[in-house]
Amino acid sequence: MLRFKSLGSGSGGNATVVESGGLLPFRLLVDCGLGIRQLTFRLAQSGLQPEDINAVFITHEHGDHIGCAHALALRYRIPVWMSQGTYSAIGSPDFDGLLHIARDARAIDMGGLQVMPFTVPHDAREPLQLSCNDGSSKLGILTDLGHATPHVIAHLQTCHALLLESNHDTELLDQSAYPHFLKRRVSGDYGHLSNTAAAAIASAVTHGGLKHLVAAHLSAKNNHPCLVQDVLSSALGCLPGDILVADPASGTPWLQF
Ligand SMILES: [Zn+2]
Ligand SMILES: [Zn+2]
């Protein structure tokens, strides 16, 4: 049995805790795109302290994902995983032996939790997203990508829970005051998923065992939780309220499956 909790999601910062079951749970922090004080505060609100985190996985170098990773790792002696490209992109700082390099489709055994990173198309050096599996439950995390690829869809099959980017409504983005270059970047093949693109991914991987679908990384300006719930629920044939939306500041409750 796994449980997970978003500590917040959006362009202001992303962090998610994934916890394996058992007497000695293993806790993985996926991204820590917050300052260390804010991260500590949000962990405390979730009943955790930084000392409870056993490992950190960083998906890519953008500030809303890497945040305080370096300071957190060194202060609490937590091992950190990221791609070689991400490590290069942040200037290859000294992690004092705590750094591990993650590679596309190369499973990482974290003791009760198997992490499977996979490459995604996004405007970062070597971005990875991931699935987490304890042998009976599988969580997919997919927060920053411009479009779905067969590789992405293959890695998200058989998930029992999915944290899925649903960044923007295409019309709201078109009508927004964003400069043209930024509209093109966000909606481009290496930007972020629109609600309809997220719905297409959800439809491609849904199955009877999918218990939780959490929409994440919503644009504060070019989206709305109700729009996301409408688009995703009509694609999946469920009720809008069945789609959870990760809040930028408070994330989600703990979700177990
Ligand atoms: Zn990004
Ligand atoms: Zn992001």
Side-chain angles (χ1 to χ4, degrees):
M1 185 167 294
L2 288 178
R3 65 174 192 157
F4 72 105
K5 184 184 192 307
S6 165
L7 304 180
S9 184
S11 57
N14 296 272
T16 303
V17 182
V18 184
E19 183 183 281
S20 68
L23 285 175
L24 273 179
F26 187 95
R27 297 186 190 91
L28 172 67
L29 180 65
V30 178
D31 287 329
C32 46
L34 301 164
I36 201 159
R37 282 182 61 180
Q38 185 59 223
L39 179 72
T40 304
F41 174 71
R42 295 192 196 183
L43 283 171
Q45 287 184 316
S46 313
L48 298 173
Q49 305 173 39
E51 291 88 340
D52 296 322
I53 301 299
N54 301 104
V56 173
F57 186 99
I58 298 297
T59 58
H60 63 298
E61 67 271 23
H62 291 161
D64 57 321
H65 296 266
I66 193 139
C68 64
H70 188 251
L72 182 81
L74 293 190
R75 188 177 300 180
Y76 298 101
R77 304 298 304 169
I78 306 173
V80 180
W81 296 81
M82 66 181 73
S83 71
Q84 183 66 51
T86 299
Y87 181 56
S88 303
I90 61 170
S92 307
D94 182 7
F95 272 88
D96 198 21
L98 295 164
L99 180 74
H100 301 266
I101 296 300
R103 292 179 180 84
D104 174 52
R106 193 83 58 90
I108 306 164
D109 188 353
M110 293 194 178
L113 198 63
Q114 191 182 69
V115 172
M116 179 62 84
F118 54 90
T119 299
V120 297
H122 187 54
D123 56 359
R125 190 79 63 88
E126 189 188 348
L128 297 170
Q129 296 289 324
L130 64 156
S131 68
C132 303
N133 198 326
D134 71 349
S136 58
S137 302
K138 180 178 174 184
L139 165 68
I141 296 182
L142 187 67
T143 61
D144 287 59
L145 76 168
H147 65 281
T149 61
H151 189 59
V152 166
I153 297 297
H155 275 280
L156 292 180
Q157 297 296 337
T158 68
C159 284
H160 304 100
L162 188 56
L163 184 83
L164 174 65
E165 164 163 63
S166 196
N167 179 258
H168 58 274
D169 173 83
T170 308
E171 273 184 39
L172 287 179
L173 179 64
D174 276 351
Q175 295 158 8
S176 76
Y178 276 20
H180 186 61
F181 80 89
L182 190 52
K183 289 182 187 179
R184 284 191 55 173
R185 192 229 136 200
V186 170
S187 63
D189 273 355
Y190 293 85
H192 292 277
L193 292 179
S194 69
N195 295 339
T196 46
I201 293 176
S203 300
V205 303
T206 193
H207 62 108
L210 180 65
K211 294 195 181 120
H212 302 293
L213 178 57
V214 179
H217 217 305
L218 271 67
S219 166
K221 293 204 168 96
N222 303 317
N223 213 347
H224 190 278
C226 293
L227 278 175
V228 173
Q229 288 176 312
D230 281 348
V231 174
L232 290 181
S233 64
S234 49
L236 295 185
C238 61
L239 296 171
D242 293 337
I243 310 294
L244 294 171
V245 177
D247 184 79
S250 58
T252 61
W254 281 106
L255 297 167
Q256 189 162 308
F257 56 101

